[in-house]
Structures are given as C-alpha cells and as structure tokens.
Amino acid sequence: MSLIRNIRKNFGLYMMAVPGLLFFATFSMFPTYCHTLAFKDYRPMDGIFGSAWAGLQNFRFFFSNSDWLNVTRNTLTLNFMFISLTISIALLIAIFLDEVGNAFAKRFMQSLIFLPYFVSWLVVSILAFALLNQSTGVINVVLRAFGQEGLPFYNTADVWPAILTFIYVWRFCGWYSIIFLSAITAISPDFYEAARIDGANRVQQVWHITLPLLRGTAIMLVLLAVGRIFYGDFGMIYGIVGDNGLLYETTDIIDTFAFRALRRSGDFGMAAAVTLYQSVMGFITILIFNRLIKAVDKDYVLF
C-alpha cells in the first residue's frame, strides 16, 4: 500500500522512468532468459521453449579448438590497452583543459576533443582505409613521395593492436575527459587556495590535490569498463577489419568470432554459448577487481 501511495504521489517521476525500465527489460532482462539457448539445439520453427536440450554440446563447438584461446587473448589484450590508455590520456586532457584560462578557448578545445565521439564506426572505417590502404592511402602516398616503400597495413597483423588502440583513444578520450573535468570542477577552490598560501606551484597542486581527489572517479570508470572486458567493441573491430583473415591473429575477438560462426552456420545455440561465456567471465572479473579495490580502499568499491 505504501508503494501504491508513493506512485500516486510521484506519478510524473515514475512515468519518466518507464522508458528506461522498458529499455532494460527488453535488452537486459529478456536476453538473460535467452541464455537458455546455450543449452538447447535451437530451431526457429520450434522456438525457445520447444527446442530440444543439447546439454554442453554448444560449448564443445567453441572450446573444441585453440581458436577460443586466441580470441579470448585478443579480447583481453585489446580491452586492456583501450581502458588503460583511454582513461589515462583522458585524465591528462581534463587536467590540461582545466588549466586553460580563456573560456572560449576552453570550450572550443573541449568540443573539438569531444567531436570524435559522435563519429560512427562506419565513417571511421572509411577514414582508416583512406589513410592506410596500400595503393592510395595517404600514409603510403607520402612515404612514396619521400622515396620510401609503402607499408602493407592490411596485410600485417602485428601493427593492428596499436592502430586500433589509437583509433579507440581518439574516439573515446573526449568522452572520458568530460567526466574527469566535471569531477575537477566539483573540487573546492579552498584546497588550491590553501596550497598556494603554502607555496605550492601548479604542478604540485595537481599532484597533491587534483589527482588524489580524482582517484574515486578513475576507479569507478575502470570498474565499469572491467565489467565488459570480455566484450569487444564489435562495431569497431568488424567495421575496420571486416573479414580480412590476414589480421585475425591479433584482431579477432570473441564477438567477431561468434558473429562469423553464426553467419556461416546459423547456429544460434553456439552464439548463445559464447555470449554466456562472456557474461560469466565478465562477472568473475568484476568480482575479482572489486575485491582488489576493497583491499586497497573500501570507499571506492561497487559493493
């Protein structure tokens, strides 16, 4: 009865929450039930309820060869590079932006850095191809103009972790820098005033005030990112690399592997098994990382 009275009293607020609840119900709660597909021999004509149970057969398909080790390693390696460099560079950008005194210049640079976040991966893939392709790519054209040989980027797998990391940082560091900049503006000016009275310069103020007070924000961002460390950015990897088998050694991730397997075989059960594997491993990872943070400082844990 108290819940009903609360809904009547705050009916407008509850109605504002309905779109968000519907979103999570459609894309989070219902897909959780669909994890049962991982244990079924799914046939579209029979549906989820009518399909026969297959036990662990779908998992055997994924773990039957060494491909699962390669795609898992690539997923973790790329995500580790993405998370560590993006958050670190975004933190530096936020600190530098906070030091800009001119309001117009500060807003202009902030908008310029944030702009790549709105560029779709399709456009990014076109830009990457225009820069990197061996025949007419801008980089190779410039190299040939100086008498150097062109670099076969799309035939060399070893260079792509660095290329993908650069692209990811370029696109997302602006977004994270906005979060850090918001946290910096929330710091009381009294701290800096006291530091200036004690004779601290700007570098010392950043080192002893700004960075320690941003630790909680950084840890929270890392925790949220680690929760999806087993999920690669499918739109990015597939949009830029595509089905180039020469690059699978360093760029093939769990998501692209499952997509290709689903596209070739139409086996929904196998794709669901891979997704369940990602979810379970991501859950274990966030538990471990949260425990590590709890051992260091209990004030910044998620739970």
Side-chain angles (χ1 to χ4, degrees):
M1 293 301 295
S2 60
L3 176 60
I4 295 176
R5 287 195 298 269
N6 191 283
I7 293 176
R8 290 176 178 175
K9 182 180 179 180
N10 303 287
F11 182 76
L13 295 177
Y14 279 98
M15 290 303 296
M16 291 175 63
V18 168
L21 293 175
L22 290 176
F23 176 85
F24 283 107
T26 304
F27 296 102
S28 296
M29 297 176 66
F30 178 72
T32 301
Y33 168 75
C34 292
H35 279 315
T36 56
L37 286 175
F39 305 97
K40 288 196 171 188
D41 182 15
Y42 178 72
R43 298 181 59 185
M45 296 298 296
D46 297 331
I48 299 177
F49 295 100
S51 298
W53 285 95
L56 300 177
Q57 185 62 37
N58 293 319
F59 292 92
R60 294 191 185 98
F61 177 86
F62 181 57
F63 294 106
S64 60
N65 53 57
S66 60
D67 287 341
W68 76 274
L69 284 174
N70 182 56
V71 297
T72 301
R73 182 181 65 250
N74 289 339
T75 304
L76 293 175
T77 302
L78 290 174
N79 279 334
F80 175 78
M81 295 170 63
F82 293 167
I83 295 170
S84 58
L85 289 177
T86 302
I87 293 180
S88 300
I89 294 175
L91 177 59
L92 292 176
I93 291 174
I95 293 174
F96 290 147
L97 285 176
D98 185 60
E99 296 298 319
V100 177
N102 186 284
F104 174 78
K106 184 175 182 178
R107 289 195 298 267
F108 176 77
M109 288 186 289
Q110 186 175 340
S111 301
L112 191 64
I113 295 171
F114 192 44
L115 182 62
Y117 182 76
F118 298 99
V119 180
S120 69
W121 284 125
L122 177 60
V123 176
V124 173
S125 66
I126 295 173
L127 292 174
F129 185 79
L131 288 171
L132 303 175
N133 78 85
Q134 191 169 359
S135 57
T136 60
V138 174
I139 294 178
N140 285 323
V141 169
V142 172
L143 289 175
R144 294 191 191 98
F146 286 94
Q148 303 293 325
E149 294 185 3
L151 300 175
F153 290 105
Y154 284 93
N155 297 335
T156 309
D158 293 338
V159 301
W160 276 92
I163 293 174
L164 292 174
T165 301
F166 175 82
I167 294 174
Y168 190 92
V169 172
W170 168 78
R171 190 169 189 262
F172 286 102
C173 67
W175 165 257
Y176 284 103
S177 68
I178 298 299
I179 299 175
F180 281 120
L181 192 59
S182 300
I184 291 175
T185 57
I187 299 176
S188 175
D190 295 338
F191 292 112
Y192 298 102
E193 182 66 26
R196 282 193 295 269
I197 294 175
D198 290 338
N201 56 34
R202 291 303 301 170
V203 176
Q204 291 173 329
Q205 292 175 36
V206 169
W207 183 259
H208 294 287
I209 298 175
T210 306
L211 290 179
L213 292 178
L214 289 179
R215 185 173 63 173
T217 303
I219 291 175
M220 184 63 65
L221 291 176
V222 171
L223 277 172
L224 294 175
V226 165
R228 294 188 59 83
I229 198 170
F230 276 87
Y231 287 84
D233 196 320
F234 174 81
M236 173 189 179
I237 304 297
Y238 195 77
I240 297 175
V241 177
D243 291 320
N244 188 344
L246 297 174
L247 307 181
Y248 285 168
E249 181 181 353
T250 59
T251 63
D252 197 20
I253 57 176
I254 299 174
D255 305 76
T256 54
F257 175 84
F259 174 75
R260 285 198 313 274
L262 177 62
R263 188 181 61 185
R264 293 171 183 173
S265 65
D267 191 342
F268 288 88
M270 185 280 301
V274 175
T275 303
L276 182 58
Y277 163 72
Q278 288 179 293
S279 300
V280 172
M281 295 305 297
F283 178 69
I284 294 174
T285 303
I286 196 68
L287 287 178
I288 294 174
F289 196 80
N290 189 75
R291 179 59 64 89
L292 293 176
I293 297 298
K294 191 174 184 178
V296 176
D297 195 332
K298 296 181 179 179
D299 293 335
Y300 299 112
V301 296
L302 287 178
F303 48 86

